[in-house]
Amino acid sequence: NLFSRKAPASRAVAYDNVVYGTYIQIDDETFNLEGFGVIQLKSNGGQGITDVIIKPNGGNEMTFAVKKAATMGDDDLTNALCRTWKVTNIHERGYDSYDGEYDDTYTPDEYYGAISEVMFSKSGTFLSFYNDNEIEAHFWKWENQGERQIRYSWDNVWNNDDEEGNFTVNFSSDNRLTIHEYYRDYETGEWYESTVELVEKNPSGSDGNEGDVTVPTDKTPVERVFTGKLVSEVDGISKTFSNDVK
């Protein structure tokens, strides 16, 4: 499932090409990553990063030519999702051949190793933080934005295989997010369902880095366009329009 862990990954420890930890900014383009080394982001006059220079502790310096990947867009749904969230409640239920049926509700404080935070980025990545200081990195993209459905991947190779899955997101006006996932294996009869409740970690007024969540409208793009006084009646070839249609 979405928040299961493939392998442990501790802070400031490399795992599956992911390094997580604290850092000190040396200058505008150079950062000292605690427990790892120095990373430098070279840019073309501030227009975009062209090279990444990595100087690992005790290792050889490496330079990589890079270009920025496409982002997920600047729409209401993406803007609402891409921030850091704190988990407040987890409800898991399902059936597996080893334990049978199960139904469990808990908070991150009640279960060691539980998911505690999730951070989504517009670059199509997200990190899952656990309360035992372990992390997991995933990739995401919109599967069906109208239905608020997201497809995630462990390896960023989209082959509709076992390394992927789907979940849906919903927002509320009090800066909260609900993530729901359901999966069924029709060959074995095993199934899994989870509902994770989250709240924005840095709401507006706490540190100023993140603003209030703008709750996306439930209307589809078509519904957002065809509102107001447009076509009021269509009957055969007879068409009646409101007087103020322009």
Side-chain angles (χ1 to χ4, degrees):
N1 65 79
L2 173 62
F3 296 129
S4 66
R5 289 181 284 182
K6 294 294 182 81
S10 300
R11 295 170 185 259
V13 173
Y15 160 68
D16 195 23
N17 299 320
V18 176
V19 177
Y20 172 76
T22 58
Y23 66 88
I24 297 174
Q25 185 170 351
I26 300 175
D27 54 39
D28 288 343
E29 61 180 26
T30 311
F31 305 84
N32 188 347
L33 280 60
E34 180 184 12
F36 176 74
V38 175
I39 184 170
Q40 186 176 9
L41 309 176
K42 303 292 291 186
S43 64
N44 53 355
Q47 298 302 310
I49 297 173
T50 59
D51 297 277
V52 175
I53 302 173
I54 300 175
K55 305 173 184 177
N57 295 335
N60 296 323
E61 179 178 314
M62 298 169 284
T63 300
F64 301 93
V66 300
K67 63 179 180 180
K68 190 175 186 298
T71 61
M72 293 296 169
D74 195 36
D75 55 273
D76 286 348
L77 271 174
T78 304
N79 290 337
L81 177 68
C82 292
R83 60 193 68 223
T84 303
W85 300 91
K86 292 176 60 178
V87 176
T88 60
N89 189 72
I90 304 115
H91 180 203
E92 294 182 316
R93 66 190 191 98
Y95 166 78
D96 65 62
S97 56
Y98 297 100
D99 302 320
E101 292 189 7
Y102 59 91
D103 191 328
D104 192 16
T105 300
Y106 57 92
T107 68
D109 295 334
E110 296 174 327
Y111 173 56
Y112 184 72
I115 180 76
S116 58
E117 292 184 12
V118 185
M119 181 176 65
F120 291 91
S121 83
K122 286 188 176 182
S123 297
T125 61
F126 68 98
L127 295 179
S128 302
F129 302 85
Y130 298 84
N131 61 12
D132 54 3
N133 291 331
E134 294 182 355
I135 64 168
E136 288 288 357
H138 322 259
F139 302 88
W140 74 275
K141 63 181 181 180
W142 289 110
E143 177 81 353
N144 186 328
Q145 195 167 9
E147 297 294 331
R148 304 186 185 191
Q149 186 179 71
I150 289 174
R151 176 163 290 274
Y152 67 88
S153 169
W154 288 90
D155 54 14
N156 202 25
V157 179
W158 306 92
N159 291 325
N160 293 316
D161 57 19
D162 291 339
E163 294 297 307
E164 301 174 29
N166 289 332
F167 63 92
T168 57
V169 295
N170 283 289
F171 303 88
S172 60
S173 57
D174 53 353
N175 286 16
R176 294 183 179 272
L177 168 68
T178 300
I179 295 177
H180 180 261
E181 181 181 16
Y182 177 82
Y183 169 79
R184 177 179 292 273
D185 187 327
Y186 289 95
E187 293 184 359
T188 65
E190 296 182 336
W191 61 277
Y192 169 83
E193 182 178 27
S194 74
T195 302
V196 182
E197 304 286 343
L198 309 96
V199 64
E200 186 184 7
K201 182 178 181 181
N202 299 312
S204 178
S206 60
D207 60 12
N209 289 331
E210 298 188 29
D212 291 326
V213 177
T214 301
V215 179
T217 176
D218 287 329
K219 294 180 179 179
T220 67
V222 173
E223 289 172 328
R224 290 198 296 270
V225 172
F226 292 101
T227 56
K229 297 180 179 180
L230 294 174
V231 178
S232 60
E233 181 180 335
V234 177
D235 183 10
I237 61 173
S238 174
K239 302 178 181 179
T240 303
F241 295 86
S242 300
N243 293 330
D244 60 347
V245 173
K246 297 180 180 179

